[in-house]
Amino acid sequence: MRIFAVVMLSSLLLPSLLFAGEWVNDNAYRVVAPGVPDKNAADKLARRLSAKTVAVALARARVVEELAWILGGDSLDDPSGVLACRNAVFGAFRDAILAGRVVEERYGESDDCTITYEVETPGLRAKLTALRGSLKIPGEGTEGADADRLYRSLGGD
């Protein structure tokens, strides 16, 4: 539940506040994400593992969010445009996002965690640019586009 709350909070923030990522090269994108430990974790190792798990989930959500904002540009004035961009990014780069790796992790005194997460796939930037050209935003003259159905198929409510 805490992961869902963190992801929902991050999606409500202004895009400029969300952008913590950077292009490493044309094939890789990195984001920084925090994680807090489970208060019921028994020992230091369990607290750190739970904090890292939260940080990885948030990092994956940030990658989707940030690449969607890069992809969407002006089309993100409308909720259906935001959803279409998120779905397009997740659909195109799902495997790369889930296979991303933690390239750096730091822990604080209370076992909170900050990670740098990297998503890498050949031609990531070029594929994102190509995706922009083929993106169909619901409500912009695209008949039959059903972003809500795709969202639900990914586990959305």
Side-chain angles (χ1 to χ4, degrees), residues 31-35 51-52 54-60 101-107 113-117:
V31 296
V32 175
K52 184 177 178 182
V54 170
V56 167
L58 180 58
R60 289 174 174 162
R101 63 189 182 105
V102 175
V103 294
E104 182 182 357
E105 59 187 270
R106 295 176 306 280
Y107 293 93
C113 177
T114 302
I115 65 166
T116 301
Y117 189 80

Side-chain angles (χ1 to χ4, degrees), residues 10-29:
S10 72
S11 67
L12 296 174
L13 297 174
L14 295 173
S16 61
L17 295 176
L18 275 177
F19 286 162
E22 64 181 354
W23 289 101
V24 177
N25 55 45
D26 288 341
N27 303 316
Y29 190 77

Side-chain angles (χ1 to χ4, degrees), residues 88-150:
V89 166
F90 191 74
F93 304 113
R94 178 186 186 277
D95 292 340
I97 292 168
L98 295 176
R101 63 189 182 105
V102 175
V103 294
E104 182 182 357
E105 59 187 270
R106 295 176 306 280
Y107 293 93
E109 291 179 18
S110 61
D111 296 322
D112 55 315
C113 177
T114 302
I115 65 166
T116 301
Y117 189 80
E118 182 176 281
V119 172
E120 186 172 14
T121 191
L124 177 61
R125 192 186 307 237
K127 288 176 183 175
L128 189 63
T129 302
L131 187 59
R132 181 181 296 141
S134 65
L135 184 64
K136 306 272 189 263
I137 304 295
E140 291 185 356
T142 57
E143 296 302 319
D146 190 3
D148 188 54
R149 182 176 49 81
L150 178 57

Side-chain angles (χ1 to χ4, degrees), residues 41-51 107 111:
D43 58 24
K44 185 177 194 82
L45 182 61
R47 284 191 304 276
R48 287 187 170 200
L49 181 59
S50 67
Y107 293 93
D111 296 322

